[in-house]
Amino acid sequence: MERIMGGGMLPLVLTSVGVLLLYRILVRLRRGTPMHGAVVVITGASSGLGKECARVFHAAGARLVLCGRDAARLQEVVQELSGSSTDIQHQTFTPNTVVFNLVRADSVEKAAQEILKCYGHIDVLINNAGISYRGNILDTHISVQRDVMETNYFGPIALTQALLPSMVQRRSGHIVVISSVQGKIAIPYRSAYAASKHATQAYFDCLRAEIGHLGIPVTVISPGYIRTNLSVNAVTGDGSKYGVLDKTTASGWDPRDVADAVLKAVRQKSKDVVLAGTVPTVAIYLRTLWPALFFKLMSSRARKEQKHKDE
Ligand SMILES: NC(=O)C1=CN([C@@H]2O[C@H](COP(=O)(O)OP(=O)(O)OC[C@H]3O[C@@H](n4cnc5c(N)ncnc54)[C@H](OP(=O)(O)O)[C@@H]3O)[C@@H](O)[C@H]2O)C=CC1
Ligand SMILES: CCCCCCCCCCCCCCCC(=O)OCC(=O)COP(=O)(O)O
């Protein structure tokens, strides 16, 4: 009787251990790459989505390099993070800061060297900094079109290209860019912004194809409206600040939820992620599948907005 029990128990124990191991492997695969100790660079980290990304990556145990134009505001973020009670599962690290303006090519090059000096390498670059725009094309100075392109497109790609050689050398790293739903569809009175985000999408899609085989994934994240100061900081056709918190922005997604989704996309090395509700998502499909209808809807949207402004 004992013999039968002993003989029956061993396969049972082995099967249980096997199932447990398989379960742990599946959980790990689902969670993706751990962030503990990973060197993560975040641009535009002084506010909005960048600041929330700093919070979630810090809590996940990443070693951060926070970038922005305002040293004092970056230090405030560092203080906030250092004083926050984080997930006790992880040891956390005091973030480094690098102050520079993305639109100045010389300062981007210098900043890239400073960023690399922090830990000697980079695991994840999150190109998050950006500026929006409000205006109609007829009244917009060409210099404004250029400035938005400098901040949202040339700045991030200059930083990416300055940091890329060190990733290629190590055959390791991850490039992330925060684009927008407006990188996939163009809506009226956003020409400079939508154009810069479309260019961003195209550049990083090319980059993914070119460096994927080197073990360096590229993630493009396209959120819908997020509750930040993006509209307040937006520039208008004459270069002045828009200064208004739009209803669409105020009722947008919580930046903390978007930051959590960014962390998930990084861990899972996702290629292209749209973080938006049904209407923008349907609009993206409509632009490809039924462009004539999409263009009609955009014209009618433009006329309505113009009428509203005239009233
Ligand atoms: N809010 C929204 O509805 C959406 C936002 N996005 C994108 O999310 C990203 C973050 O924006 P969000 O947090 O919403 O807006 P915020 O205005 O709060 O943040 C923008 C950040 O970009 C930085 N920045 C702007 N210009 C420069 C520059 N020339 N050089 C360096 N840094 C600069 C700012 O830093 P500084 O402290 O120096 O001013 C700031 O931290 C942007 O790329 C935006 O396009 C995408 C979809 C929707
Ligand atoms: C269910 C039926 C759907 C039919 C689709 C009709 C088309 C509707 C158009 C929808 C347009 C959505 C625009 C979303 C824009 C957006 O989310 O942008 C994100 C940003 O980057 C915000 O920047 P902004 O400066 O514009 O505030």
Side-chain angles (χ1 to χ4, degrees):
M1 184 67 176
E2 254 178 41
R3 267 243 209 109
I4 297 168
M5 282 280 284
M9 283 297 277
L10 190 64
L12 191 72
V13 171
L14 287 177
T15 311
S16 311
V17 171
V19 168
L20 198 71
L21 276 176
L22 194 67
Y23 173 75
R24 292 190 65 168
I25 290 169
L26 285 176
V27 167
R28 215 154 212 274
L29 279 177
R30 227 178 105 80
R31 241 191 242 149
T33 315
M35 279 297 118
H36 189 257
V39 178
V40 179
V41 179
I42 305 173
T43 67
S46 57
S47 63
L49 179 59
K51 183 173 167 180
E52 288 310 319
C53 283
R55 197 183 53 74
V56 299
F57 279 87
H58 173 77
R63 290 180 286 172
L64 297 179
V65 183
L66 305 181
C67 307
R69 286 175 298 186
D70 187 328
R73 282 172 64 207
L74 282 178
Q75 272 316 314
E76 275 172 31
V77 177
V78 172
Q79 293 305 322
E80 265 179 53
L81 294 183
S82 306
S84 65
S85 60
T86 49
D87 187 340
I88 47 159
Q89 282 176 354
H90 299 291
Q91 178 198 359
T92 55
F93 301 89
T94 305
N96 290 271
T97 60
V98 175
V99 180
F100 67 102
N101 191 330
L102 269 169
V103 303
R104 304 236 339 249
D106 54 333
S107 66
V108 172
E109 191 55 49
K110 255 178 61 194
Q113 299 318 313
E114 216 181 304
I115 288 168
L116 280 172
K117 267 197 203 138
C118 293
Y119 293 105
H121 75 279
I122 293 171
D123 293 302
V124 185
L125 165 64
I126 304 182
N127 286 298
N128 161 77
I131 189 164
S132 195
Y133 150 90
R134 302 283 183 275
N136 70 56
I137 292 172
L138 283 174
D139 298 328
T140 296
H141 294 181
I142 193 66
S143 61
V144 170
Q145 298 281 3
R146 283 208 168 92
D147 288 349
V148 174
M149 210 67 179
E150 286 290 344
T151 306
N152 292 358
Y153 178 70
F154 286 110
I157 74 160
L159 183 64
T160 300
Q161 289 194 193
L163 294 173
L164 205 50
S166 83
M167 290 188 179
V168 172
Q169 206 174 18
R170 295 177 69 234
R171 292 284 194 278
S172 171
H174 188 160
I175 308 272
V176 182
V177 65
I178 307 298
S179 180
S180 161
V181 161
Q182 293 182 52
K184 295 187 183 281
I185 54 168
I187 64 173
Y189 307 116
R190 294 290 186 281
S191 59
Y193 183 67
S196 70
K197 293 296 186 179
H198 274 67
T200 297
Q201 175 85 52
Y203 174 94
F204 287 94
D205 282 354
C206 291
L207 185 65
R208 182 189 305 110
E210 290 178 28
I211 63 169
H213 68 288
L214 300 175
I216 305 170
V218 174
T219 303
V220 179
I221 298 183
S222 303
Y225 296 108
I226 313 169
R227 217 157 49 232
T228 66
N229 269 338
L230 185 78
S231 74
V232 176
N233 296 330
V235 66
T236 66
D238 63 8
S240 61
K241 195 169 159 172
Y242 178 61
V244 178
L245 181 66
D246 280 347
K247 264 194 202 141
T248 46
T249 316
S251 60
W253 284 28
D254 186 326
R256 287 175 295 189
D257 294 339
V258 181
D260 284 338
V262 173
L263 175 63
K264 189 173 164 208
V266 170
R267 280 186 156 156
Q268 296 185 342
K269 298 186 166 66
S270 308
K271 292 182 172 59
D272 195 71
V273 183
V274 175
L275 300 172
T278 314
V279 173
T281 306
V282 171
I284 292 169
Y285 283 106
L286 204 60
R287 168 68 181 83
T288 307
L289 299 175
W290 197 353
L293 176 60
F294 177 80
F295 297 145
K296 224 181 194 146
L297 289 168
M298 289 304 111
S299 298
S300 126
R301 189 182 166 108
R303 280 197 303 276
K304 259 191 219 150
E305 252 183 71
Q306 190 55 51
K307 210 170 144 197
H308 184 70
K309 270 182 217 146
D310 293 343
E311 279 165 8

